Amino acid sequence: MELRYAKTGILMIEILPDKCDFCGCCVGVCPEDAIELKEAEISIIDERCTNCAKCVWSCPIEVIVFNRDGVTVK
Amino acid sequence: MKSNYDVIVVGAGPAGSMAARFAAEQGVSVLMLEKDRDVGYPVRCGEAISKEGVEEFIDSDERWIKAHINKFSFIAPDETEVILQFDSRQEGYVLERKLFDYELARTAAEAGTEILTRAYVNGLLFNDGKVSGVRYEYQGKQNEIKAKIVIAADGVESRVGRWAGLKTHIDFRDMECCTQITAANISVEPDTLYFYFGADVAPQGYFWIFPKGNNLANIGLGVSGKVGKTKSAQSYLNSFMDKYYPDAPVLTSIAGGVPSAVTLDKISAPGIVLVGDAARQVNPLSGGGIASGMIGGSIAGRIAGEAVKMNKPDHILSYDKAWNDRLGKRHLIFNRIKGGIYNFSDEKFNKIAKSVNKIPYEKRTLGKVFTTALMNQPSLLVDVAKVFLI
Ligand SMILES: Cc1cc2nc3c(=O)[nH]c(=O)nc-3n(C[C@H](O)[C@H](O)[C@H](O)COP(=O)(O)OP(=O)(O)OC[C@H]3O[C@@H](n4cnc5c(N)ncnc54)[C@H](O)[C@@H]3O)c2cc1C
Ligand code: SF4
Ligand code: SF4
């Protein structure tokens, strides 16, 4: 399985898009502008992400998770 | 649609609509772009506002007022309730924001603003280091459109300002991470806003029940992103509902973020100004951002219109001071008070509630409640004194 790469090594931040409410809370705290959010679409911009996990802590409904093993390309 | 405008507003919330309206009222051409299908929906808000905050911009209209508020109820961790009635001048509302935001956008349109929904702004244009327009996606196609001034009203995300080089992201500890439901069969007083405090219900934040008439209510909470490290807002909401309203039918549930901090250091740069949540203009103590966003938007819109008319692009840089004089400086103090209150222990909240309840009901004012709270935290007194002096 192919891993995704962040700015700092393998990407360990995973969004579960089916659970997302597209509220923008995670985008507001991301220091790297590494989250793209449209009306009902969300994604991480891998090459900007530093795996800092601030988005994980800020998501009110636990949609972003920290995945130590690395996120794989779907 | 034209290929260039004097002013482009990104985001059609209260701040964007007021910015658009006040710019258009100066006779300049204005386009407002909104990524969602509808202006005003989805609603990520408790919908409480003061009558005064509304009427600075629009006459009150029962079509979008769901409740008239004249009492606060503060509930301490040990469930001691402090009720505070305010006089009629201080009336508040719980809005139907879907209709309210729609109406604000309509007034912007009436002033001459063009509006396009489902238009997702994903970049800025630059000319000589100055912002000169936006890139946006519409119906699967990428477009560019020029503007003399861009007003970023893109809410909590605040990405547009970043593309212009402004540092807009907010410390996760200052983000109030919220979940809210609108539930039926909630029999609370229809004229009272309820606020719950304490480590079990909403640490470093508060829990609210805001009535919307006919036993409907907005029920939700915000907790600091710091709290979210160990427990999410959603789990706090679930615990509360299980305990108090296990069978309440839920008509809406949403997530959201309130940037509860002071305004950004810089809210203007050549060719661009930021308004509302995007500029972090929320009252950091209450988390209310409808009224302050409209105020920020109106100032920015007026100044942008003037800058175009006078052909003086640098005039927009005077917006920072105008905002700080109107509300920004006040928010600095509110933010310090928030820092104090959010660190109160449950015992302290309980003690304060009991002391306040000793004040006779008729004599209880927000000022007296504050004074009582402050006897428990004298260092805050100086900050509060400043709020009342400004
Ligand atoms: C759960 C919760 C409860 C709240 N309760 C209250 C309350 O009771 N009282 C109160 O006063 N305040 C409350 N607030 C705060 C209040 O909702 C906000 O401060 C207010 O909506 C800010 O207005 P705004 O116009 O700045 O932003 P918003 O209303 O968020 O509008 C921003 C708009 O920009 C659009 N947008 C974003 N990015 C783009 C893009 N790239 N391209 C095009 N469009 C874009 C968005 O779709 C949105 O429509 C609450 C907030 C939350 C989350
Ligand atoms: S904070 Fe959570 S719910 Fe909100 S947009 Fe981000 S991932 Fe989705
Ligand atoms: S981990 Fe940090 S850098 Fe990556 S998306 Fe989340 S907040 Fe942004």
Side-chain angles (χ1 to χ4, degrees):
Chain A
M1 272 201 289
E2 200 188 330
L3 283 168
R4 283 169 60 178
Y5 282 86
K7 193 174 172 186
T8 50
I10 55 170
L11 180 72
M12 291 183 274
I13 302 298
E14 188 163 15
I15 304 186
L16 313 170
D18 295 346
K19 277 179 77 182
C20 181
D21 194 40
F22 313 105
C23 73
C25 198
C26 55
V27 181
V29 300
C30 174
E32 309 296 333
D33 193 23
I35 305 174
E36 181 81 16
L37 174 63
K38 300 187 187 178
E39 181 174 23
E41 254 180 79
I42 187 161
S43 54
I44 301 238
I45 305 169
D46 299 15
E47 64 277 13
R48 292 189 191 168
C49 177
T50 58
N51 289 317
C52 73
K54 288 176 178 156
C55 54
V56 177
W57 304 327
S58 306
C59 176
I61 55 175
E62 301 173 39
V63 171
I64 313 190
V65 292
F66 197 76
N67 180 348
R68 219 165 274 283
D69 300 331
V71 182
T72 52
V73 179
K74 290 254 154 48
Chain B
M1 243 175 79
K2 297 194 279 272
S3 62
N4 61 74
Y5 286 82
D6 292 323
V7 175
I8 288 180
V9 179
V10 183
S17 284
M18 287 306 94
R21 176 170 120 194
F22 278 71
E25 279 173 355
Q26 311 264 333
V28 306
S29 63
V30 183
L31 171 68
M32 182 159 68
L33 300 173
E34 166 56 52
K35 74 171 159 58
D36 291 347
R37 177 185 309 161
D38 291 285
V39 169
Y41 182 83
V43 178
R44 305 185 187 284
C45 188
E47 308 180 282
I49 188 171
S50 68
K51 178 180 178 190
E52 194 189 352
V54 167
E55 292 192 342
E56 180 171 347
F57 298 102
I58 188 165
D59 291 338
S60 294
D61 184 337
E62 291 303 320
R63 282 183 306 145
W64 38 256
I65 297 172
K66 300 300 281 188
H68 290 259
I69 300 299
N70 57 45
K71 284 193 211 82
F72 283 157
S73 160
F74 298 107
I75 294 131
D78 67 358
E79 303 200 2
T80 305
E81 185 181 18
V82 174
I83 298 175
L84 195 74
Q85 174 145 30
F86 27 93
D87 64 52
S88 57
R89 282 174 303 136
Q90 297 166 309
E91 192 186 353
Y93 300 142
V94 179
L95 301 171
E96 187 71 85
R97 260 195 74 182
K98 244 188 311 224
L99 301 180
F100 179 73
D101 283 22
Y102 218 79
E103 180 61 10
L104 292 180
R106 193 197 60 75
T107 66
E110 196 172 55
T113 304
E114 291 179 39
I115 301 172
L116 187 66
T117 61
R118 306 192 88 163
Y120 173 63
V121 174
N122 55 12
L124 290 172
L125 306 175
F126 292 90
N127 186 0
D128 242 353
K130 174 185 167 298
V131 174
S132 62
V134 302
R135 295 178 205 282
Y136 68 99
E137 199 181 282
Y138 181 68
Q139 296 184 341
K141 277 211 198 82
Q142 192 62 31
N143 304 278
E144 291 185 356
I145 191 154
K146 290 206 166 66
K148 293 187 179 124
I149 296 165
V150 171
I151 301 184
D154 55 328
V156 65
E157 295 106 293
S158 194
R159 295 187 72 206
V160 178
R162 302 181 200 213
W163 302 330
L166 298 171
K167 217 177 127 226
T168 71
H169 83 268
I170 181 161
D171 190 308
F172 72 101
R173 287 164 290 207
D174 289 332
M175 183 66 92
E176 287 294 316
C177 309
C178 307
T179 45
Q180 179 184 274
I181 55 177
T182 305
N185 307 342
I186 306 296
S187 50
V188 289
E189 294 295 326
D191 62 351
T192 304
L193 298 183
Y194 295 84
F195 301 88
Y196 295 74
F197 296 89
D200 285 345
V201 283
Q204 301 190 33
Y206 63 81
F207 197 106
W208 64 84
I209 300 184
F210 295 168
K212 285 192 79 173
N214 297 323
N215 287 343
L216 272 179
N218 290 336
I219 304 181
L221 79 152
V223 290
S224 156
K226 195 170 145 198
V227 172
K229 267 185 171 184
T230 44
K231 192 170 166 183
S232 70
Q234 186 65 51
S235 8
Y236 284 100
L237 180 62
N238 294 346
S239 316
F240 185 94
M241 292 309 288
D242 288 346
K243 181 166 170 197
Y244 293 101
Y245 301 103
D247 301 320
V250 174
L251 281 74
T252 305
S253 60
I254 54 101
V258 181
S260 294
V262 298
T263 311
L264 300 174
D265 286 344
K266 251 168 81 79
I267 51 176
S268 64
I272 187 168
V273 291
L274 274 55
V275 300
D277 279 15
R280 312 315 186 194
Q281 287 174 333
V282 174
N283 173 340
L285 183 56
S286 67
I290 311 171
S292 56
M294 290 196 287
I295 290 172
S298 68
I299 300 172
R302 174 182 55 77
I303 292 180
E306 288 167 0
V308 172
K309 273 200 313 195
M310 299 188 299
N311 197 17
K312 273 199 190 156
D314 284 352
H315 178 57
I316 60 167
L317 305 178
S318 66
Y319 164 57
D320 291 60
K321 181 172 180 333
W323 161 258
N324 283 322
D325 288 347
R326 175 75 201 270
L327 278 180
K329 287 181 196 156
R330 217 171 240 252
H331 285 186
L332 288 175
I333 298 163
F334 286 155
N335 195 50
R336 282 211 294 274
I337 299 175
K338 169 193 141 186
I341 292 181
Y342 281 13
N343 287 319
F344 280 180
S345 64
D346 281 5
E347 294 70 43
K348 193 165 265 178
F349 276 123
N350 295 337
K351 203 169 132 200
I352 294 168
K354 293 206 170 64
S355 340
V356 173
N357 275 343
K358 288 190 191 125
I359 307 171
Y361 183 64
E362 330 71 70
K363 291 192 180 153
R364 241 178 258 164
T365 60
L366 201 52
K368 283 228 171 71
V369 170
F370 252 122
T371 328
T372 312
L374 295 167
M375 290 191 302
N376 289 276
Q377 188 85 349
S379 59
L380 282 178
L381 199 57
V382 183
D383 289 332
V384 173
K386 284 189 207 148
V387 178
F388 292 106
L389 288 176
I390 286 177

